[in-house]
Amino acid sequence: MFSKAQLDRYARHIILPQVGASGQARLLESSALVVGAGGLGSPALLYLAAAGVGRLGVADYDRVELTNLHRQILHGTPDVGRAKTESAAERLTAINPEVELELFPERLESDNALELVAGFDLIVDGSDNFPTRYLLNDAAVLSGVPLVYGAISQFEGQLSVFHADRDGTLGPCYRCLFPEPPPPGTVPSCAEAGVFGVLPGIIGSLMASEAIKLLLGIGEPLTGRLLHLDALTLETFTITVARNHQCAVCGDSPSVRELIDYELFCS
């Protein structure tokens, strides 16, 4: 089943009773689309590749900037000016050359999102803006795949798992928690408000953990729960998120049956 090199690489996983040889084989056959190769996507991609997730999609249309480097650990100083997908691919291949990488150096939009999502077992949302978050949520629901969500601002981060099966019941989606985006200008971006450099490393690593748990079918993923972290105090709390049966996307009678103009929706 495994080569000698694979047995060595994944030895510490294989001896875990909750993973074992069958679990590691399952990871090698799994796939994940990570949207954003920045602060959250960097640690998520690094750990998914290291864990042996067989196929990783990397979607990001940005180029590396010097201001990225205090938190976006996929990239280094020599990468400034390079496409983030290229820099990410080089680093991920160095960590695990067995992982198949699919690079999408393009803007995720309504006319290509479903095509990009197709064929992946789950989505990891490492985006940093509301139009993309709502787009990914709706694409996940319409495609029938779970979504691992994370967000950060200054010293605070949050994490959840949306539209995932739990004991035969689908959990809530992002719109169940946030039916409408906040008014434009009310939530500052990281460029405007700043971000604690290690915070995306913490949240992004937890996103990888949730993704791997989902792929393996182990543990208790954050389905129906939102985790909040304050890095200044290291205090956390979790709130329960119930599925909204009136939700426009995942409700009993959804009104959104195709992807919409999310820039317009969020403005």
Side-chain angles (χ1 to χ4, degrees):
M1 180 183 297
F2 298 104
S3 67
K4 174 63 167 60
Q6 288 176 323
L7 287 172
D8 288 343
R9 181 184 292 273
Y10 305 119
R12 302 303 187 272
H13 254 183
I14 292 172
I15 62 175
L16 287 171
Q18 297 88 340
V19 179
S22 61
Q24 188 60 53
R26 185 171 179 177
L27 286 180
L28 292 170
E29 296 171 354
S30 297
S31 61
L33 173 66
V34 180
V35 178
L40 294 170
S42 286
L45 281 164
L46 288 167
Y47 277 111
L48 290 173
V53 175
R55 184 165 60 93
L56 289 176
V58 185
D60 198 311
Y61 65 92
D62 277 343
R63 293 186 175 271
V64 180
E65 299 180 5
L66 193 60
T67 56
N68 301 152
L69 300 185
H70 94 297
R71 66 195 183 282
Q72 299 186 15
I73 57 174
L74 263 177
H75 318 291
T77 302
D79 298 314
V80 171
R82 295 179 71 190
K84 287 186 178 179
T85 49
E86 293 180 6
S87 175
E90 187 174 286
R91 180 77 174 114
L92 295 172
T93 299
I95 288 176
N96 192 344
E98 292 186 344
V99 173
E100 177 186 348
L101 298 175
E102 294 186 24
L103 307 182
F104 304 102
E106 57 198 83
R107 185 186 291 272
L108 198 69
E109 296 180 332
S110 301
D111 60 359
N112 66 359
L114 290 177
E115 182 180 354
L116 262 61
V117 169
F120 287 99
D121 295 322
L122 57 79
I123 305 169
V124 178
D125 178 8
S127 66
D128 61 359
N129 63 85
F130 288 105
T132 303
R133 288 170 184 157
Y134 282 94
L135 170 62
L136 287 176
N137 175 78
D138 294 1
V141 174
L142 293 175
S143 301
V145 298
L147 173 70
V148 179
Y149 157 79
I152 54 172
S153 179
Q154 296 186 324
F155 293 92
E156 298 181 24
Q158 55 185 217
L159 172 78
S160 190
V161 171
F162 294 117
H163 196 64
D165 183 281
R166 183 174 183 179
D167 299 327
T169 302
L170 278 178
C173 78
Y174 180 76
R175 283 191 190 236
C176 294
L177 180 61
F178 303 113
E180 300 286 340
T186 59
V187 179
S189 67
C190 289
E192 297 167 323
V195 61
F196 190 40
V198 302
L199 177 63
I202 299 169
I203 299 297
S205 296
L206 290 172
M207 293 171 73
S209 176
E210 291 299 297
I212 292 170
K213 285 158 57 181
L214 287 169
L215 294 173
L216 288 173
I218 63 173
E220 292 289 335
L222 281 169
T223 304
R225 295 178 292 154
L226 178 75
L227 174 71
H228 181 275
L229 167 72
D230 184 337
L232 280 179
T233 62
L234 212 57
E235 292 182 345
T236 63
F237 64 83
T238 304
I239 64 172
T240 300
V241 182
R243 181 165 175 247
N244 179 7
H245 290 274
Q246 306 301 317
C247 177
V249 180
C250 76
D252 297 337
S253 300
S255 58
V256 177
R257 299 181 180 273
E258 60 184 16
L259 300 182
I260 62 175
D261 185 332
Y262 294 90
E263 294 288 346
L264 180 63
F265 174 68
C266 292
S267 64

